[in-house]
C-alpha cells in the first residue's frame, strides 16, 4: 500500500531559500574533507564517507524537496531527471523513478522495512574491525595497532564474533570468517540486517543517495551526519591507535569499554531507526509489512 501525499506548493522565493540553506549546510559538513583533498591529504576516519561510498560532496549539495511538493516558477529544474512539470511549476516524478528503478527501489524499501521491524542486537562490540585485522601482516589502515599484532589477535580469540552485516563480514580475514556466529551472504542480507548494527545505520546514507529525488534534502544531510558520527565510534572502538588524530579509544576489550560502546551504539541505533521511518515515509512506502515477495538482491557498492 502506498501512502497518499498531499501536495505542498512552494513559491520561488521559498524553495530557492531552502535550496541555498541546504547547500550551505552541505558545504559546512564537507569543508574539512574538501580542504584536505585540495592538499592531497588523507584522513583515516573521515575519508571513509567519500571513498567507501564514493559519493562526491557535490551530491550532498543538490537539494530535492521530495515527492508531494510543487516548486513554482522552477523552469530550470524541468529538465532534471525524475522531475516533471505541474501547472506553472515542477515536481519530483516519483512514479517515473519507481518505474525506471523498480528493482533497486523495492530492494532498498524491503531492506529498510525489514531492519526497522527487527529487534536490535547490541552484543557485537564493534569487533568487525578487529576481524578485518586478524592474523594478517598487512592491515586496512596506515595507523598503528593500539594493542600490537599479538594483542589484536588475542582480543578476537577471546570473543564470539557476532557480525550481522554482510558488507563488513566480506572484509574479514580468512582466519576470521569461520569464527563468525553465522555465515553471511549478499542474498541473505535482508534476512540478517538488524538495527543495532553500526554499519546498517551508516548505510541509511547510502540508501538515501540511491533513492535520489525521492528523499528530501534535509533527510539526506541528516543521514550523512549520522554516518559521520557512526564512523567516529566505529574507529574509536577499532584496534587502531588514533590518538594522534584526536580520537580517544573505546577499549572494547574491557568491561568499561564494552559498556561505553553499547551506550553509544544504542543512541546511534535510535537515530538510524528514526531516519529509516522518515525515508520510508518520504518515498511513500509506509505500510508495516517488513520484507516483500519481490525482493531482489542489492548490488554491491
Amino acid at each position: 500500500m502506498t501512502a497518499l501525499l498531499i501536495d505542498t506548493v512552494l513559491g520561488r522565493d521559498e524553495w530557492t531559500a531552502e535550496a541555498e540553506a541546504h547547500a550551505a549546510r552541505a558545504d559546512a559538513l564537507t569543508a574539512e574533507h574538501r580542504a584536505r583533498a585540495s592538499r592531497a591529504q588523507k584522513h583515516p576516519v573521515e575519508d571513509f564517507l567519500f571513498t567507501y561510498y564514493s559519493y562526491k560532496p557535490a551530491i550532498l549539495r543538490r537539494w530535492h524537496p521530495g515527492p508531494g511538493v510543487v516548486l513554482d516558477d522552477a523552469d530550470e529544474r524541468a529538465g532534471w531527471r525524475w522531475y516533471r512539470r505541474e501547472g506553472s511549476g515542477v515536481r519530483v516524478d516519483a512514479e517515473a523513478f519507481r518505474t525506471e528503478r523498480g528493482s533497486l527501489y523495492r530492494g532498498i524499501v524491503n531492506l529498510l522495512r525489514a531492519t526497522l521491524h527487527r529487534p536490535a542486537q547490541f552484543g557485537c562490540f564493534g569487533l568487525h574491525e578487529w576481524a578485518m585485522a586478524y592474523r594478517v601482516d598487512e592491515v586496512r589502515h596506515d595507523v598503528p595497532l593500539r594493542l600490537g599484532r599479538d594483542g589484536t589477535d588475542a582480543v578476537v580469540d577471546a570473543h564470539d564474533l557476532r557480525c550481522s552485516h554482510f558488507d563488513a563480514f566480506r572484509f574479514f580475514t580468512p582466519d576470521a570468517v569461520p569464527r563468525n556466529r553465522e555465515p553471511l551472504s549478499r542474498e541473505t542480507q535482508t534476512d540478517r540486517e538488524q538495527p543495532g548494527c553500526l554499519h546498517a545505520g551508516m548505510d541509511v546514507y547510502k540508501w538515501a543517495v540511491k533513492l535520489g529525488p525521492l528523499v528530501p534534502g534535509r533527510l539526506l544531510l541528516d543521514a550523512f551526519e549520522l554516518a559521520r558520527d557512526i564512523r567516529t565510534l566505529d574507529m574509536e572502538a577499532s584496534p587502531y591507535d588514533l590518538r594522534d588524530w584526536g580520537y580517544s579509544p573505546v577499549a572494547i576489550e574491557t568491561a568499561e569499554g564494552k559498556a561505553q560502546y553499547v551506550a553509544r551504539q544504542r543512541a546511534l541505533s535510535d537515530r538510524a531507526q528514526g531516519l529509516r521511518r522518515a525515508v520510508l515515509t518520504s518515498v511513500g512506502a509506509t505500510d508495516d509489512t517488513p520484507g516483500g515477495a519481490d525482493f531482489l538482491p542489492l548490488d554491491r557498492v
Side-chain angles (χ1 to χ4, degrees), residues 33-223:
H33 170 77
R34 289 182 288 110
R36 285 192 303 271
S38 70
R39 301 189 296 267
Q41 293 179 338
K42 303 294 184 183
H43 194 288
V45 179
E46 296 179 9
D47 284 353
F48 181 86
L49 297 179
F50 302 96
T51 55
Y52 176 75
Y53 290 125
S54 71
Y55 302 138
K56 297 183 182 301
I59 290 178
L60 290 169
R61 294 190 90 249
R62 175 168 283 201
W63 174 79
H64 296 290
V69 179
V70 177
L71 305 180
D72 195 30
D73 188 16
D75 288 347
E76 64 267 45
R77 291 198 174 211
W80 285 22
R81 193 173 187 187
W82 298 308
Y83 275 71
R84 64 178 172 83
R85 290 192 177 275
E86 180 87 0
S88 62
V90 300
R91 66 182 301 160
V92 172
D93 193 341
E95 289 304 319
F97 182 93
R98 286 191 285 262
T99 298
E100 292 181 37
R101 294 290 178 89
S103 62
L104 177 70
Y105 174 85
R106 292 191 299 272
I108 293 173
V109 165
N110 287 330
L111 181 65
L112 291 175
R113 282 179 181 160
T115 308
L116 179 66
H117 289 272
R118 190 165 288 130
Q121 302 169 26
F122 298 105
C124 68
F125 306 121
L127 282 161
H128 54 277
E129 286 287 346
W130 299 71
M132 296 176 196
Y134 183 61
R135 293 185 179 176
V136 290
D137 294 328
E138 295 185 7
V139 293
R140 293 175 57 79
H141 302 286
D142 188 20
V143 181
L145 294 171
R146 180 168 56 84
L147 302 180
R149 171 75 282 146
D150 292 342
T152 298
D153 291 346
V155 170
V156 177
D157 288 334
H159 289 80
D160 181 20
L161 298 182
R162 303 178 182 182
C163 184
S164 60
H165 186 68
F166 175 70
D167 280 314
F169 177 75
R170 67 188 175 97
F171 291 110
F172 278 25
T173 66
D175 285 341
V177 166
R179 297 185 62 88
N180 204 49
R181 176 168 288 190
E182 60 182 348
L184 303 174
S185 68
R186 180 68 67 198
E187 289 69 29
T188 61
Q189 184 175 0
T190 299
D191 298 325
R192 296 289 182 269
E193 205 91 312
Q194 53 87 19
C197 172
L198 289 187
H199 274 257
M202 204 181 311
D203 276 356
V204 176
Y205 165 58
K206 172 173 69 175
W207 305 133
V209 172
K210 284 184 171 293
L211 288 168
L214 272 60
V215 176
R218 175 184 57 80
L219 290 183
L220 174 63
L221 297 188
D222 286 351

Side-chain angles (χ1 to χ4, degrees), residues 159 250-259:
H159 289 80
V250 176
I252 55 90
E253 70 275 11
T254 69
E256 181 181 4
K258 285 182 172 66

